[in-house]
Amino acid sequence: MKRTELEECLRASKKNYEQMEVPQELEGRIQQAVENGAPGKQTDSRKVIGMRKKNNWTKAVGAVAACVVFCFTAGLNISETFATEMGQHPVLGGISKVLTFRSYDLADGDKTIHAEIPQIDGAGDGYSDQVNEEILRITADYQAWATRNIAEYKEAFLATGGTEEEFAAKNITVDVQYEVKYESEEILSLVLTANESWSNAYGVQYFYNIDLNDDSEITLKDLLGEEYVEMVNTQIREQIAADDSGLFFEEDMGGFTSISDKTNFYINAEGNPVIVFAKYEIAAGAAGSPEFEIVRE
């Protein structure tokens, strides 16, 4: 494939992408969530509200994705440098299972919403499909929840003497994005993060660890065996004891006691689980979201 043809393909895919509207189904979910009220912050990532994708939406995205994959393959064929760089990338060295389904920015004067919505390519009727549907729901619910929070904040701000101009100058953003923590032929580990720039209290994360062999959820027990609770607890306590920051709470003051089968984790490049606690959960806010890598024995 010639470079001019590749450039045309890229331009065509970019044009199609830019002309795509925010999916009507996602807009409908945002409106429904606003009308029904704010979602709970402790949503269980294993509970999924079903939602079917419309055929025309799927076909539109598929057409763009097909062109992107075609251009990607052509790039590997015509550029030795490109091929070398891709081979060194931990995700792009193979054909990535995660495609950004839609990335968009919406602004209304009070806030800017930025969203990068990941979808797992080739998902059938297994866990991956559940993850895809839940991510769409979470994105819609969180944006609706943030919209209500910001509206209430603005009302209070104006009621206490603030002006419209001063509120607009705050440049409040709502951000939903994802990160692929690890991907191989057999495993995909993905983290979805949502937050609002004006308040750290509303940040949430959702963790997805998928066995690509049978399209199932990977648990800590799968990775570490029957005695995983004791193993993880021991290593976390050792790491906290070695920390000299003074930020971790004592056990009787809300500090770490034990993990459970609901404990959040992702899988790192070494294939080890990394336990993640929410901000303020076991330590002062300055500690952020504490993470503990668990080395498998």
Side-chain angles (χ1 to χ4, degrees), residues 141-160:
D141 285 355
Y142 187 83
Q143 290 178 16
W145 174 231
T147 296
R148 292 170 62 87
N149 284 341
I150 294 168
E152 292 173 359
Y153 173 39
K154 180 180 180 180
E155 183 179 1
F157 181 81
L158 296 178
T160 54

Side-chain angles (χ1 to χ4, degrees), residues 1 3-4 13 31 38 65 71 82 95 101 118-119 133 153 178 200 212 215 235 238 240 274 280 289 291:
M1 185 177 184
R3 289 182 182 274
T4 55
S13 64
Q31 181 61 33
C71 294
F82 182 79
I95 300 300
F101 189 60
Q119 292 283 270
E133 293 185 353
Y153 173 39
Y178 71 94
N200 290 329
L212 299 176
D215 196 11
Q235 292 196 32
E238 289 174 350
I240 291 176
V274 178
Y280 305 109
S289 299
E291 298 188 0

Side-chain angles (χ1 to χ4, degrees), residues 42-55:
Q42 301 299 325
T43 303
D44 187 342
S45 65
R46 295 168 176 79
K47 296 179 180 178
V48 180
I49 298 176
M51 180 174 65
R52 294 293 108 194
K53 295 181 275 290
K54 295 185 187 302
N55 289 336

Side-chain angles (χ1 to χ4, degrees), residues 44 46 217 219-220 228-229 259-265:
D44 187 342
R46 295 168 176 79
E217 181 181 17
T219 67
L220 285 172
Y228 75 96
V229 173
I259 64 161
S260 72
D261 59 357
K262 303 294 185 183
T263 296
N264 290 322
F265 74 97

